[in-house]
Amino acid sequence: MVTATHPQAWSEAIARPATEFALTPLKVISGSIPEGLQGTLYRNGPARLSRGGDRVGHWFDGDGAVLAVHFEAAEASAVYRYVKTEGYLNEERQDSFIYPNYGMTAPGAFWNNWLKPVKNAANTSVLALPDKVLALWEGGLPHALNLEDLTTQGKDKLSGLSDKQSYSAHPKVDSQTEEIFNFGIGAGLNATLNLYRSDRTGKIQQQSTFDLKGLPLVHDFLLAGQYLVFFVSPVRVNLAAVTLGRNSFSDAMEWQPELGTEVLVFDRQTLSLVSRSEAEPWYQWHFTNGCVDNEGAIVTELVRYEDFQTNQYLQEVATGSTKTSAPGTLWQVKINPQTGEVVQNEQLLTDNCEFPVIDRNCVGKSWRYTYLTIQRDRDLVGKELFGAIARFDRETGNLSIADMGENCYASEPIYVSQPNSQSGWLLTVVYNGNEDSSEVRIYQSDRLTEEPCCRLALPSVIPHSFHGTWKDK
């Protein structure tokens, strides 16, 4: 376990387990809800970082809780529920941590790491389907929740997965065909990359398997035209140290820059390998998007880290006090799809940023605007969480920023198309450290330097979350 020292303002949001609330009408703090905003914002993140007097070993270990904010007829209501996984319920009954996890070993004898499964924290992202919303965690199966009240319905195999397969937290949805693409990593001395293609309901239609070198950490991938693209960074898990109970997965991850970054390009229709190559070493958690340009090259955008110190920083977040500086910056990488060769590697922004998103109608296609969380003050890197959201114009290079204010912290901005308009809305959940409260802020996507068009008070504090999605009504 890790202990906190010198807590910072944002730390109060995760200092205590989050409080659930049933469906509740939301009070308007300022402005008004746009009349055209009809649908639901879903967000997921670790909401319980302590139990029985002990604290988790890493931010990624916290039990997941999902927030749903329903918008209809210029009114809003919200519900917030823990994902009632088997691990959550068992630990709730005993009021203690039982299982190994990303940053934790199982308590007791080392063989508990063999006998007890890694807890599915269901805490990373969400995928809204026609009849359910999936709480995603990349180390195991998704959990299905009721779309309206977020009641947990149990693990979901999507009519094709086995109990031992995993389903990543970053599926890609083609807005035109409504196909869903995703992957999962099969752990082992040499891991497997399992590729999935699903229909609009989430039902698995096709699978394929590809062998990897060692056990890497693969968190995200790209849909780019007719291709699926993976950058396998040079992080490898020392599986023996995990199996023997000496280290958690996080502590057993080794940065091996001599391996370089492996580039894998697959055909989206056959899920077969097109090309494989090696590039310089870097690490990335998240991609923005990908597409194929007029010359036939794959264009990708991602937040790049020079090494794996970002994992140490995220471990420190769980303590409420961070000291490791691990800035991520926005990059564009172009690839020859037939050879996998990187033909361009260009930094687009020097500001520390994360959680890049786009208009979901542009997934896999050319796009102009990237929306993200950002931190411009270099002195705050490694000390503060993100206090602003921004829009980056890829055509002009302009950056528009909405600062949340002192001691206020933004989540990943979610873009929602505005009917009959070229612009849209950006929705972000904000923790206000001055008042120890949370709210939803709605911005016009092309007017980020102006005040939000609406601020809505949430009934209780929503701990800092990872990812969200929007579902039209």
Side-chain angles (χ1 to χ4, degrees), residues 383-402:
K383 300 175 183 177
E384 286 280 12
L385 299 188
F386 295 105
I389 60 173
R391 182 180 81 163
F392 174 63
D393 188 332
R394 290 171 50 82
E395 289 187 10
T396 66
N398 290 337
L399 188 69
S400 303
I401 297 177

Side-chain angles (χ1 to χ4, degrees), residues 63-172:
D63 290 302
V66 175
L67 170 71
V69 184
H70 303 297
F71 292 90
E72 184 175 9
E75 295 183 347
S77 58
V79 56
Y80 187 55
R81 297 289 190 202
Y82 282 99
V83 185
K84 304 302 194 304
T85 68
E86 181 181 359
Y88 173 90
L89 293 173
N90 288 339
E91 291 184 338
E92 184 81 350
R93 280 189 286 268
Q94 296 194 28
D95 193 27
S96 64
F97 292 120
I98 301 172
Y99 302 95
N101 210 322
Y102 179 87
M104 302 168 68
T105 57
F110 73 90
W111 54 76
N112 282 337
N113 291 280
W114 306 342
L115 300 176
K116 294 182 178 179
V118 175
K119 184 176 70 173
N120 186 327
N123 67 3
T124 311
S125 190
V126 279
L127 174 62
L129 299 174
D131 61 346
K132 59 195 169 187
V133 59
L134 300 181
L136 304 177
W137 178 75
E138 64 199 37
L141 293 172
H143 282 76
L145 311 178
N146 180 279
L147 285 166
E148 296 299 319
D149 65 12
L150 302 181
T151 303
T152 302
Q153 299 169 344
K155 289 182 180 178
D156 197 321
K157 296 181 182 179
L158 302 176
S159 302
L161 301 177
S162 71
D163 287 326
K164 294 184 178 180
Q165 283 181 282
S166 60
Y167 191 81
S168 148
H170 288 286
K172 309 301 177 190

Side-chain angles (χ1 to χ4, degrees), residues 415-431:
Y415 180 89
V416 181
S417 298
Q418 185 172 347
N420 305 314
S421 175
Q422 292 287 325
S423 67
W425 298 289
L426 280 185
L427 279 63
T428 181
V429 176
V430 176
Y431 172 67

Side-chain angles (χ1 to χ4, degrees), residues 185-194 209-216 236-237 239 276:
I185 298 295
L189 292 177
N190 287 299
T192 57
L193 175 65
N194 301 311
T209 300
F210 180 80
D211 292 332
L212 298 172
K213 301 172 183 176
L215 178 52
R236 296 295 182 272
V237 178
L239 198 57
R276 182 178 194 172

Side-chain angles (χ1 to χ4, degrees), residues 179-181 195-198 203-206 268 271:
E179 293 172 294
I180 304 169
F181 296 91
L195 301 178
Y196 313 125
R197 180 176 62 83
S198 305
K203 182 178 180 180
I204 302 288
Q205 301 289 309
Q206 185 181 5
R268 66 177 273 174
L271 302 184

Side-chain angles (χ1 to χ4, degrees), residues 187-468:
L189 292 177
N190 287 299
T192 57
L193 175 65
N194 301 311
L195 301 178
Y196 313 125
R197 180 176 62 83
S198 305
D199 64 17
R200 62 184 295 271
T201 70
K203 182 178 180 180
I204 302 288
Q205 301 289 309
Q206 185 181 5
Q207 299 189 49
S208 72
T209 300
F210 180 80
D211 292 332
L212 298 172
K213 301 172 183 176
L215 178 52
L217 177 61
V218 183
H219 182 70
D220 196 2
F221 78 114
L222 284 170
L223 170 62
Q226 66 267 42
Y227 304 108
L228 307 178
V229 182
F230 292 81
F231 292 161
V232 183
S233 295
V235 174
R236 296 295 182 272
V237 178
N238 183 338
L239 198 57
V242 175
T243 304
L244 294 173
R246 292 200 302 263
N247 295 116
S248 67
F249 281 93
S250 177
D251 291 339
M253 290 176 182
E254 301 170 351
W255 176 248
Q256 301 178 11
E258 67 277 7
L259 297 178
T261 296
E262 189 173 23
V263 179
L264 302 173
V265 180
F266 295 90
D267 183 278
R268 66 177 273 174
Q269 294 302 323
T270 63
L271 302 184
S272 60
L273 185 69
V274 175
S275 61
R276 182 178 194 172
S277 70
E278 185 179 306
E280 64 187 82
W282 72 78
Y283 185 75
Q284 80 283 322
W285 292 109
H286 301 120
F287 294 96
T288 308
N289 193 30
C291 67
V292 176
D293 68 14
N294 293 333
E295 285 76 44
I298 297 174
V299 179
T300 76
E301 189 181 275
L302 63 145
V303 175
R304 167 174 163 160
Y305 299 85
E306 293 309 302
D307 53 32
F308 198 49
Q309 282 293 99
T310 171
N311 190 57
Q312 174 62 30
Y313 168 76
L314 294 169
Q315 179 181 8
E316 293 168 3
V317 168
T319 73
S321 179
T322 54
K323 59 183 179 181
T324 299
S325 180
T329 54
L330 197 66
W331 286 67
Q332 177 172 279
V333 179
K334 285 189 178 182
I335 307 164
N336 180 330
Q338 300 309 314
T339 65
E341 177 189 4
V342 171
V343 295
Q344 183 195 52
N345 210 338
E346 176 188 4
Q347 188 176 42
L348 302 177
L349 290 175
T350 60
D351 302 294
N352 182 37
C353 61
E354 249 301 350
F355 301 118
V357 300
I358 59 165
D359 178 347
R360 57 196 171 128
N361 294 313
C362 296
V363 171
K365 308 175 185 67
S366 178
W367 77 105
R368 178 170 178 177
Y369 298 112
T370 296
Y371 306 94
L372 32 69
T373 55
I374 198 163
Q375 187 179 69
R376 305 208 75 177
D377 189 340
R378 294 182 181 276
D379 292 336
L380 297 180
V381 176
K383 300 175 183 177
E384 286 280 12
L385 299 188
F386 295 105
I389 60 173
R391 182 180 81 163
F392 174 63
D393 188 332
R394 290 171 50 82
E395 289 187 10
T396 66
N398 290 337
L399 188 69
S400 303
I401 297 177
D403 193 312
M404 299 298 106
E406 186 177 4
N407 296 329
C408 292
Y409 305 93
S411 67
E412 165 198 63
I414 300 298
Y415 180 89
V416 181
S417 298
Q418 185 172 347
N420 305 314
S421 175
Q422 292 287 325
S423 67
W425 298 289
L426 280 185
L427 279 63
T428 181
V429 176
V430 176
Y431 172 67
N432 185 335
N434 302 304
E435 301 176 2
D436 192 29
S437 63
S438 292
E439 62 186 70
V440 178
R441 295 189 188 182
I442 305 169
Y443 290 85
Q444 281 292 148
S445 66
D446 56 351
R447 302 177 197 167
L448 290 187
T449 57
E450 299 178 8
E451 290 295 310
C453 50
C454 185
R455 294 171 57 203
L456 298 164
L458 289 165
S460 66
V461 168
I462 306 298
H464 313 292
S465 57
F466 293 141
H467 300 291

